[in-house]
Amino acid sequence: MTVSYTKKVSDCKGFGSYWRLLFRWRGSLYKLVWPDTIVYIVLYFICSMVYRFGLNELQRRIFEQLSLYCDYFRNLIPISFVLGFYVSVVVERWWEQYLSIPWPDDFALLCTTYIRGPGERAKSIRATLIRYVNLTCVLTFSAISPGVKKKFPSYKEMLEAGYLTPQEQRALEIQAGRTSVTLCCLPLMWCCKLLEGSRTLGDLRDDMGLRLLVEEVCKLRDKAGMLIRWTDISIPLVYTQVVTMACYSFFFFSVLGRQFLDPAQHYNNRTIDFFVPIFTLLQFFFYMGWLKVAESLVNPFGEDDDDFELETILERHMKMTYLLGDVTPNEDPLATCDDLA
Amino acid sequence: MTVSYTKKVSDCKGFGSYWRLLFRWRGSLYKLVWPDTIVYIVLYFICSMVYRFGLNELQRRIFEQLSLYCDYFRNLIPISFVLGFYVSVVVERWWEQYLSIPWPDDFALLCTTYIRGPGERAKSIRATLIRYVNLTCVLTFSAISPGVKKKFPSYKEMLEAGYLTPQEQRALEIQAGRTSVTLCCLPLMWCCKLLEGSRTLGDLRDDMGLRLLVEEVCKLRDKAGMLIRWTDISIPLVYTQVVTMACYSFFFFSVLGRQFLDPAQHYNNRTIDFFVPIFTLLQFFFYMGWLKVAESLVNPFGEDDDDFELETILERHMKMTYLLGDVTPNEDPLATCDDLA
Amino acid sequence: MTVSYTKKVSDCKGFGSYWRLLFRWRGSLYKLVWPDTIVYIVLYFICSMVYRFGLNELQRRIFEQLSLYCDYFRNLIPISFVLGFYVSVVVERWWEQYLSIPWPDDFALLCTTYIRGPGERAKSIRATLIRYVNLTCVLTFSAISPGVKKKFPSYKEMLEAGYLTPQEQRALEIQAGRTSVTLCCLPLMWCCKLLEGSRTLGDLRDDMGLRLLVEEVCKLRDKAGMLIRWTDISIPLVYTQVVTMACYSFFFFSVLGRQFLDPAQHYNNRTIDFFVPIFTLLQFFFYMGWLKVAESLVNPFGEDDDDFELETILERHMKMTYLLGDVTPNEDPLATCDDLA
Amino acid sequence: MTVSYTKKVSDCKGFGSYWRLLFRWRGSLYKLVWPDTIVYIVLYFICSMVYRFGLNELQRRIFEQLSLYCDYFRNLIPISFVLGFYVSVVVERWWEQYLSIPWPDDFALLCTTYIRGPGERAKSIRATLIRYVNLTCVLTFSAISPGVKKKFPSYKEMLEAGYLTPQEQRALEIQAGRTSVTLCCLPLMWCCKLLEGSRTLGDLRDDMGLRLLVEEVCKLRDKAGMLIRWTDISIPLVYTQVVTMACYSFFFFSVLGRQFLDPAQHYNNRTIDFFVPIFTLLQFFFYMGWLKVAESLVNPFGEDDDDFELETILERHMKMTYLLGDVTPNEDPLATCDDLA
Amino acid sequence: MTVSYTKKVSDCKGFGSYWRLLFRWRGSLYKLVWPDTIVYIVLYFICSMVYRFGLNELQRRIFEQLSLYCDYFRNLIPISFVLGFYVSVVVERWWEQYLSIPWPDDFALLCTTYIRGPGERAKSIRATLIRYVNLTCVLTFSAISPGVKKKFPSYKEMLEAGYLTPQEQRALEIQAGRTSVTLCCLPLMWCCKLLEGSRTLGDLRDDMGLRLLVEEVCKLRDKAGMLIRWTDISIPLVYTQVVTMACYSFFFFSVLGRQFLDPAQHYNNRTIDFFVPIFTLLQFFFYMGWLKVAESLVNPFGEDDDDFELETILERHMKMTYLLGDVTPNEDPLATCDDLA
């Protein structure tokens, strides 16, 4: 579920509002980083214990040399730089993926405008068209999101939720046996046929309306297709590996390199022994947190705290399209234009 | 209220104009940073006093070691780097949010072009259409902006301001009881129905005009929907936390690390005791200011000095759409085309 | 006036062409930076004189400590980093502002295509439509640019330049008394009405043409509106202040910090006394120049050397739209299609 | 074949999922970097052996000086900086190239909507139109991708795969003799002619449909043309050379510069002799990996692990367009609109 | 001529392919940088000779101080940073300029679809329309590219190449005497008139077609206009000067600063005398190469190796539009739709 805090930070008065965000748990840095942190601390203290109690004088001198060496050289890899570039690619893709989610409200508005007429037929055509569009959304979302898949594991659940009729289910099942391509967009074809049919019968008021509706169907297909392709084409694995390897090896070597050494040896910047490596942990939090930003955004359709809630969006689409598509009951403030005269 | 200074810096003559911007208070760095600064200074001087007067010789040596240690290690976190990337994400989103504000001028122009005819009916249709569009703006803005919400806390105030008729208010209220989705876009559905009706009656001159107007309605809905979604989907909390934590911990440790130490000890770069840490304060101003840029832009619909003035925009929309929609009285320079012949 | 040098650097042969650009004055770094430089040099030498001749030995030692301190600490603020990010925001906005300038050529082409017919009426309709569009340009530009405002301080000058007729002037003046919103786009409403009228009379050949022309009018309004909004919404003041303060304080402290100290004291990297601080001046030029890039681009509608020449664009629009709109006399290579047969 | 791992990283629970990505071979860093690494290791150890066993005392001192010198100066070139900028240009182009791949699904949907009618003729027109579009895809892809070229080296294979009829093959071959330009888009011209013909015959239901279909053909041509142009216009060679040279020379000099020197000489940071240069290899992996990101993405139509699988896309296009274009058999849930009444 | 190497680097197997790019001359770093390099080397060695043979002991000590001073301080200007930002602005503009080149293929396809009919008239209308569009390309390109200007210095050469008829040449010449604006787009006005005429005569099949063709004409005009404006509005001169000055002064001072000093003086990092400054030259190559990337891309319509080949594009446009516009002879695989039945 997306963590929405924008309203909490609408003002920047007094001490501002960002510091308050530090005390949240859902979707937070702490929640993402704690398992790694614990492993890191355990490793660090094992190492520390060995150095302090397990080694003789000579071994300690060698350990110290090793530690200084690790500390010096792990800095040769500019992880802040590569993380900066990598995270901005990830954040950009994350947002573009959000924009790729199909939003059928306009389709519903166009149905309301163009498919009118006396009797119930126009209304049931509108309802069917809107259902087809929502069906495409369900099929697409369940192909990319484990959460939606869990809710709608098969056509049966969609039937129960009112996205499908039994005939449609049969049509989808038969087709699934015939072809290997995804059937997400098949309902949009039915949609197009129904539009053409209703134009022929005169329920769709003019050619312009047919065109607008068909274009809207194409836009929805583009978005649905794009959503699936986002999941197919990941950020090149090499890039992700380079960043991950840099980050993990940096901290792997810091277990040795950031040990507190005997102040009596007067190594540079090693004049105090705090026992608890506050700054190293801070650095760990910082860089690991930055990497976790990437990790939690790279697939925003999962079940992380910060992923898009496709289930909620599906429900909203259903309700909103029926509302704007003039299918559910609602009062009109004006019966006809003549009221205005 | 947005702070607009562009006209003041139109020329870059003499010493330029940027230095003059340093002497402004509204929306300024100083206004945003002063509370944090005072806390910081107080902490700093408490610490300074303790060091200077509260410790014995030995404790002072330890304090000095601690201070040097903090000073050295707080630099391990590249806050300028992460701030740079974070702030550019925030600034980009800030501007895109501005561009998402619906602007109904084109809708009014299209009404003027296509909905004409003798008598008053065409004019009152235009007025109603424009009112519906403005109503959507009010409903949307009050959902995202505390300022607009304060001005229009309920339908009553909108009714008084002329955005609603009593029938419409009733229709909205009944619908609010039926559905859980936002009703911001319901007036746009009424708009679509009215357009269709006026086309049927012949007030809307051709199918092309119906199409253009409906497309414009869809554009406005897209923008209104987008506005609400901007508020729902914040920049991932982890990212904000990483940046905030880095920045605050940097300065927390600088309280210790940037103390003036006894020059007599001849520590590196610690040869003068100024008492007032000018450079540290400058650095505080600089980094905190940079963070405040993010903080004040992350939700641009609040009541910061630099937030978009949605109330003013609403008023302007009302006046401008009535003007361009040919609803308010205005003189035409040409009565008919025949004047040109 | 924009400084156009692209044609001078079309080839990159021999020593390339960039070095030749260093010897230009108009719109140059030198022209922008010299007043600041002189102030800086004066301050620097006053300080230098005091150090060299005004202080006794002890005071000089203190001065030297102070100088070393300033030199070390002014580097704590990463001005190159923040300048880099800030300037890229400014450059991006500068170019988007350029792209927001309305360009009515397409409108003229559409008029030529669709508004034809025997007799003079079609031609005079075209002329009026084009005049309205140009009038909107004038009104918009004079609202944002001091240069255009100076040329067209009131309707009278526009009347003389042929953008207005007396009736139109009266219509604008009456309306100005009635409403507080800007009237920049009112001529576009007249334009729409005239288009509708000429379609009704049959001078505009088909509904498709009416639609294309109205859409083009909307595009022009969008751009005109956008231009005005660019000026309203500046880059947040905090950001500009952070950058400016960083840059000025950097150089303020360098007056002390970059003094040549007595080489006999053997301070680090202070072994030569050049008297003239070449490198410091170079650095001053570099960073101040970078800041001036931002300063001169932040409002590109002023009268800097590098600002867009809206006056010239206005004249060009007038001539080009009359040419492409088939209003000024011109020869057609083909009288009719039959010539081709 | 694209390496798709997004679904594997949908959640960021426990230790996250990125570390698991480190153990993949296909498309991995290791696979790309190992040949260079082996060469590097061999060079390194030859050099190391010479230093350790082949030189006398004096020569070793000289070698050490040389090594320190190389180590110091190779750091003067900011390869992380230039790699960061270069790789972000490459990644951006890589994604835009992906978006340029033509996707004919919308065309098929439009055919289904507009080309209907009793009898078989409408269906066979749809089939032919879709075949033409797919033919353009094949011709374009085989012009840019060695993999597709291998699968379809000549018209014969396309004929066998059902993209071409013998007449069409003949038409293409004759035209190839007449002109030197690429014939990729010729089938789209046939497509346009067929559309016009079917409109004249009445199979295409209205002018609006003809327009939509022709516009879709133009969009496909734009994308096909763009694909070919992406291959023509590479990132400027100078840029690539600068980056490559920087990276290779950095590691060339590190062979000398990163040798373990005799600890007995007490050079700075050279106090331990590990024999195996772990950190240098890590650095090599890191920078070379980053360069390989660029190298493997710069032409995404090749046969790297991470390149786009155009063969698979072609097959999918064929199946999907026949499905959505209502050419292959499929059940309709609704026979006519009347079912809804 | 553009240097196209993408196909050479389609695979990243073995040692990858980038190292092979280092051995190219056309459009290469070496070709661009060698003149500067030679001047640099000459200066360097003159200086070196003076130091080694021309100075007495005392003067050498002073020289050494000067050299160390220059070496230390030239690093104060972050040229890698400013080059990084500047080059990314240039590369972005370079690519957008490429995308602004008008591409008339779609126009030809639309002509083929909509302008049909028995007899030769439709064909000769198509030919004329396409010629007008190509004429606009020639006129635009010759205004921005010295290469095209050289090939078509006056209307005479265009007449010979078949872009113009004598009447059209006359019309252009008369108009050139009347107005001061560029006539690049005048042929597009003729195009619009001819389209309107052929619609009136019935050669253009429907209003929708007229609209599509006119819109395409507008798109071409936009691109042609944009091309010319790219050349008018350069990257602000200040920015270019800042970068150039930084880069040149950096190397100017390195002539002194990077001299090999007497190792016997034991200056820091100056312990070896190589005589040939390998690393300094590498750095020179690197930074100068990076600057030359900008220099050769800033005007991509010149005659650099990496500039766009507008002459070739013109020829291709001519052939391709005649092919797709169904003007040159070509076989149709289908005579009529009835063949499909």
Side-chain angles (χ1 to χ4, degrees), chain D residues 321-336:
Chain D
T321 46
Y322 280 147
L323 175 67
L324 295 182
D326 202 9
V327 178
T328 47
N330 69 79
E331 275 68 38
D332 279 335
L334 291 175
T336 66

Side-chain angles (χ1 to χ4, degrees), chain C residues 5-6 12 16-17 29 106 326, chain E residues 193 221 234-235 240 295 304:
Chain C
Y5 61 88
T6 313
C12 176
S17 39
L29 180 58
D106 287 350
D326 203 9
Chain E
K193 282 186 172 172
R221 200 216 59 77
S234 319
I235 292 175
T240 305
E295 202 166 318
D304 286 336

Side-chain angles (χ1 to χ4, degrees), chain A residues 5-6 12 16-17 106 326, chain B residues 193 222 234-235 240-241 295 304:
Chain A
Y5 60 89
T6 312
C12 177
S17 39
D106 286 350
D326 203 8
Chain B
K193 281 185 174 173
D222 286 349
S234 319
I235 293 177
T240 305
Q241 281 186 333
E295 202 166 317
D304 285 337

